[in-house]
Amino acid sequence: MLTFLSSLKRLRRAGSRYKTEQARIEKWLSLISTEAERDYALASEIAKLQRLIKGYSDTHARGIANVDRIIGALDGVREADASAATLAKLIEAALKDENGLALTIELKRLGERACAA
């Protein structure tokens, strides 16, 4: 039975989840590469976003949603005085709680700082 299941591994690359994941990974790597030319420290923190994506089902979906929210806020992060430290703070907030409240608060603070500037 296990031998049969392992033989199906080749079919994985034909699946929609695999294609979706590969597209997301390519976008993430491209973002790191582009940002490294401007701000190496920030690019290093962007590379750490992958820490948020783990598990299966709801946990996996939450991680991807958190990464998307943080990537959506990168313009505000770039405007911050210490952009790499700001992004690190967002990543830690995303890891802090399951329901995303800490990340929401940090993103709101980031938005308020951007409006004040």
Side-chain angles (χ1 to χ4, degrees), residues 28 31-33 35-37 39-51 84 87-88 91:
W28 171 67
L31 183 59
I32 294 167
S33 177
E35 196 60 48
E37 296 173 9
D39 184 347
Y40 184 80
L42 182 57
S44 296
E45 290 300 323
I46 291 170
K48 294 176 186 175
L49 283 171
Q50 192 64 24
R51 289 177 46 199
L87 183 55
I91 292 170

Side-chain angles (χ1 to χ4, degrees), residues 50-112:
Q50 192 64 24
R51 289 177 46 199
L52 300 177
I53 302 172
K54 41 184 137 174
Y56 300 95
S57 191
D58 292 344
T59 304
H60 186 77
R62 250 190 326 273
I64 289 175
N66 285 340
V67 168
D68 289 344
R69 289 175 69 194
I70 292 171
I71 288 175
L74 276 179
D75 287 338
V77 170
R78 286 184 189 105
E79 293 173 7
D81 292 332
S83 57
T86 301
L87 183 55
K89 194 171 187 179
L90 290 176
I91 292 170
E92 289 306 314
L95 289 169
K96 190 178 263 186
D97 64 359
E98 190 175 292
N99 61 10
L101 183 60
L103 178 59
T104 300
I105 291 169
E106 288 302 321
L107 288 171
K108 187 175 178 182
R109 285 182 187 153
L110 179 64
E112 290 170 354

